[in-house]
Amino acid sequence: MASMALSIASSSLSFSRSCSPTAIPLASPSSSISLTSSIQPLIYCGRGDKKTAKGKRFNHSFGNVAANPNDSISTSKEKSSHFKELRNVACGVLAVLALTTTSPVIAANQRLPPLSTDPERCERAFVGNTIGQANGVYDKAIDLRFCDYTNDKTNLKGKSLAAALMSDAKFDGADMTEVIMSKAYAVGASFKGTDFTNAVLDRVNFGKANLQGASFKNTVLSGSTFEGAQLQDVVFEDTIIGYIDLQKLCVNKTINEDSRLELGCRN
């Protein structure tokens, strides 16, 4: 019996030397064991890789908990790839910022196209444009520069003149009620006494235009500019205009007191 016990103990000792499993201490009701400090990561016994002998657990072998060098190489490659992606995104953002900061300069230096040679170009205002009133899209440019529509009471009413070129044209006394002039270019044009009641004049450039006595009753003037324009006796009753646009408009010194009260100018 004693020899059998000695044989079992010798076998247990031999197994321990070949596999070296980490012992997991068992907690007892009378003892307090910290799992985070006492328990070691398990080491699985097994055959080593092709370069090691059976049961040996050198670095990088199957039976060792050490990290595989391929894993570190893979992680390094992933980090490098991630860094390249971030660098490409950063470069893209910088390129967009560069374009957005230079775009206003390009727009400011943009020149108008040559005057249309179409002999009936002035009559195109009577047809108008119905493709893209809000965005200024057209199938053919509406070039009304230097055209004369003085006192026209019928042909322009309710027409769509989106993105029309109107500089140096004359619309004095014309009935332009309910017209749509989104993105129109009316620099230096004359609109003395013109009726724009219920019209949509969105993002129109009225720079240096003569608008004396014009009526913008219940008219949309969002985004429109009036730098250097003549605005004496203009009617702004119930005009629809944004706060920022209103501040810019109120800077114009040609607006009389009654018009300033209609707009609500504070300066």
Side-chain angles (χ1 to χ4, degrees):
M1 181 69 66
S3 62
M4 184 180 295
L6 180 60
S7 176
I8 293 174
S10 177
S11 300
S12 300
L13 180 60
S14 176
F15 175 79
S16 175
R17 288 178 179 176
S18 63
C19 293
S20 299
T22 301
I24 303 179
L26 298 177
S28 63
S30 60
S31 63
S32 176
I33 300 177
S34 175
L35 295 179
T36 58
S37 60
S38 300
I39 300 177
Q40 301 293 329
L42 291 178
I43 300 178
Y44 295 95
C45 298
R47 182 168 182 170
D49 57 26
K50 294 180 180 180
K51 294 183 179 181
T52 59
K54 181 178 179 179
K56 300 294 182 178
R57 294 186 304 279
F58 296 150
N59 286 340
H60 317 317
S61 68
F62 173 80
N64 198 290
V65 295
N68 191 330
N70 293 331
D71 294 339
S72 61
I73 294 174
S74 177
T75 303
S76 178
K77 289 182 178 179
E78 291 177 0
K79 290 181 178 179
S80 178
S81 177
H82 185 60
F83 173 77
K84 289 179 180 179
E85 292 178 1
L86 291 177
R87 183 183 62 184
N88 292 337
V89 171
C91 291
V93 171
L94 291 175
V96 172
L97 290 175
L99 288 176
T100 53
T101 54
T102 56
S103 293
V105 178
I106 296 174
N109 295 331
Q110 185 177 6
R111 296 182 179 180
L112 296 176
L115 190 66
S116 174
T117 57
D118 184 357
E120 297 181 355
R121 65 181 181 84
C122 292
E123 282 71 21
R124 277 189 56 80
F126 306 147
V127 178
N129 173 33
T130 58
I131 296 179
Q133 296 94 328
N135 295 323
V137 180
Y138 51 80
D139 56 344
K140 187 176 181 181
I142 302 178
D143 193 347
L144 310 180
R145 287 174 289 181
F146 303 102
C147 294
D148 192 347
Y149 304 97
T150 302
N151 295 323
D152 191 308
K153 301 296 184 182
T154 58
N155 295 312
L156 299 174
K157 183 178 180 179
K159 293 298 186 296
S160 175
L161 303 176
L165 300 175
M166 300 178 168
S167 53
D168 298 303
K170 291 184 178 181
F171 297 88
D172 299 340
D175 185 352
M176 300 185 72
T177 57
E178 300 180 0
V179 300
I180 298 175
M181 287 171 51
S182 298
K183 294 186 176 181
Y185 186 83
V187 173
S190 182
F191 297 94
K192 292 186 294 185
T194 303
D195 189 358
F196 286 109
T197 301
N198 298 326
V200 177
L201 309 180
D202 176 53
R203 293 163 289 177
V204 179
N205 190 342
F206 285 110
K208 299 181 180 180
N210 192 335
L211 293 156
Q212 298 180 36
S215 176
F216 293 112
K217 186 176 181 180
N218 198 38
T219 302
V220 176
L221 287 176
S222 55
S224 296
T225 56
F226 298 84
E227 185 176 357
Q230 299 295 316
L231 299 173
Q232 294 90 341
D233 302 320
V234 173
V235 177
F236 289 105
E237 182 181 351
D238 297 325
T239 299
I240 302 172
I241 185 172
Y243 178 72
I244 301 300
D245 299 327
L246 176 61
Q247 287 183 317
K248 295 178 180 179
L249 180 59
C250 289
V251 174
N252 191 303
K253 300 302 181 181
T254 65
I255 304 176
N256 59 17
E257 194 62 29
D258 292 339
S259 298
R260 298 177 70 83
L261 289 174
E262 291 175 345
L263 287 171
C265 296
R266 297 180 180 179
N267 52 357

